[in-house]
Amino acid sequence: MGTDLNESPKREVSLVLNKYEGVIKRYREFLPEIDDKHIITILEGNTPLIKARNLGKIINPDIEIYFKYEGLNPTGSFKDRGMTMAISKAVSEGSKAVICASTGNTSASASAYAARAGMKSFVLIPEGKIAAGKLSQALVHGAVVMQIQGNFDDALSITREIAKDYDVALVNSVNPFRLEGQKTASFEIVDELGAAPDYHILPVGNAGNITAYWKGYREYHDAGKIKSLPKMLGFQAEGAAPIVLNHIVKEPHTVATAIRIGNPASWQKAVAARDESGGLIESISDEDILKAYALLAANEGIFCEPASAISFAGLIKLNGRGFFKKGDVCVLTLTGHGLKDPQNAIKVSKEPIVVPCDKNSVLKAMGLK
Ligand code: F0G
């Protein structure tokens, strides 16, 4: 065995793996300028676009279904794409601290990127309504976590006021740099498919992501990279569906806590994305969200959080009324990883079997004896 590392094939592999430098460097020409020295990245983006293997056959064999699995970002959600931009921008402006309101994922992402930048982070979350994984992230990354006795909408309005008057950078999606980063998911989808999908399906909460995706597709269209644009299909939870109802929901409720929002900040932009693309925004019951969530995990091996599964629940709903035609390509964003919210996974699943500690009992429990 040679000892010269330069000749080791292992070393070559590691060089290849390290080539990816995050969304800012990959899509620089489409993003606001950020100096190299200010870029804060944890190598977000570059997430897999996974073709459905089993669910297509069950739901509709005539259409192509792809999952953009954003749960595989560094902090487990799509928020990292926007956070690398927002935090890098804050660093370039000399900010020493960031603040956000969050249903969980934004707080996880903001606190992680702030930690990497050496900045302080403050997060406001609705008391008791945030999945355990997300809370653990904000805490372990060292954020000052404030559980407010109100909902996300209340938290966001306090946060905006504080950011206006004090020297802390606001990193919610009302910060335009967040949406700039998030639009890179559209670029990746097109780069992989070689064209835009016919339909893009995603959850709608504060409505930043649907706005960002639509912006991304349009920019690629303007740059001549795609000839057609997708129709944007957004879904809100029935108990938190202000855009569908066309009025603010004062006390939003849903099992999908990530999208438990009654007054989305990017409301009008989401409506524009819907209307300009010829798409729709509809609502889904908690029951159907959880059914889709369990189906995805059991049939594709893809574990996403309940809010993410609303994309698939939406596809099932539309398919049930003959919405799609043969050959349609549908991309569904699965916004966050299932491990964020283990409690819901356990709730929708069978309990583990308790078995005495011997081989025969195990075989019996396996149905082999
Ligand atoms: N899916 C997940 C997993 C989310 O965390 C969110 C939003 C959405 C979908 C909706 O995206 O707000 O851009 O329409 N989470 C925010 C947060 C509100 O604080 O983590 P949106």
Side-chain angles (χ1 to χ4, degrees), residues 47-336:
T47 56
L49 186 66
I50 307 169
K51 191 167 185 182
R53 177 181 157 88
N54 302 311
L55 284 172
K57 288 180 217 146
I58 299 171
I59 304 298
N60 182 345
D62 289 339
I63 61 176
E64 282 182 46
I65 304 172
Y66 294 89
F67 301 106
K68 181 66 172 162
Y69 192 20
E70 289 288 277
L72 293 193
N73 274 294
T75 76
S77 87
F78 70 96
K79 306 286 180 182
D80 296 342
R81 292 180 185 276
M83 208 53 75
T84 184
M85 281 296 300
I87 298 283
S88 300
K89 177 69 180 162
V91 167
S92 77
E93 289 174 345
S95 304
K96 298 280 179 281
V98 298
I99 189 167
C100 68
S102 182
T103 56
N105 282 322
T106 299
S107 70
S109 186
S111 54
Y113 281 76
R116 189 149 170 101
M119 292 167 113
K120 212 173 161 74
S121 58
F122 298 98
V123 309
L124 273 74
I125 54 173
E127 188 183 22
K129 300 286 185 197
I130 147 168
K134 303 173 188 179
L135 180 59
S136 73
Q137 289 178 286
L139 293 170
V140 82
H141 291 306
V144 176
V145 178
M146 293 164 269
Q147 301 205 51
I148 62 146
Q149 294 167 324
N151 61 34
F152 170 83
D153 306 293
D154 305 321
L156 182 59
S157 91
I158 297 170
T159 303
R160 291 175 92 154
E161 275 179 43
I162 291 174
K164 206 163 52 181
D165 298 336
Y166 295 84
D167 194 15
V168 284
L170 180 64
V171 295
N172 277 104
S173 59
V174 291
N175 174 334
F177 287 85
R178 277 277 312 279
L179 301 190
E180 290 294 323
Q182 281 173 215
K183 77 186 179 192
T184 59
S186 298
F187 301 161
E188 288 180 12
I189 290 164
V190 169
D191 289 349
E192 198 139 334
L193 290 178
D198 296 298
Y199 296 100
H200 190 109
I201 313 181
L202 77 176
V204 176
N206 209 26
N209 213 27
I210 189 170
T211 305
Y213 267 98
W214 181 235
K215 187 171 198 289
Y217 283 123
R218 274 185 304 139
E219 288 182 10
Y220 250 29
H221 188 259
D222 292 346
K225 291 197 177 246
I226 44 176
K227 292 196 182 66
S228 63
L229 287 162
K231 293 186 165 54
M232 303 300 294
L233 311 178
F235 289 91
Q236 301 197 293
E238 245 169 42
I243 299 178
V244 180
L245 298 168
N246 204 24
H247 63 73
I248 291 172
V249 175
K250 283 242 165 60
E251 288 181 14
H253 58 89
T254 168
V255 66
T257 51
I259 50 172
R260 184 176 163 266
I261 292 173
N263 186 13
S266 299
W267 189 323
Q268 290 319 318
K269 290 181 189 144
V271 167
R274 177 193 70 190
D275 296 345
E276 287 167 24
S277 73
L280 52 80
I281 298 179
E282 294 192 4
S283 63
I284 301 280
S285 68
D286 277 6
E287 195 189 338
D288 287 348
I289 292 173
L290 290 179
K291 266 192 211 153
Y293 167 71
L295 266 176
L296 257 169
N299 292 282
E300 298 289 357
I302 300 175
F303 188 21
C304 65
E305 60 175 289
S308 310
I310 203 172
S311 300
F312 186 51
L315 179 138
I316 296 173
K317 179 182 176 188
L318 297 180
N319 186 62
R321 60 176 200 242
F323 184 89
F324 300 107
K325 64 175 192 317
K326 198 174 168 63
D328 276 343
V329 175
C330 304
V331 171
L332 284 65
T333 304
L334 302 180
T335 45

Side-chain angles (χ1 to χ4, degrees), residues 1-11:
M1 281 253 299
T3 48
D4 186 351
L5 273 180
N6 287 320
E7 278 171 24
S8 149
K10 256 197 193 141
R11 187 175 163 84

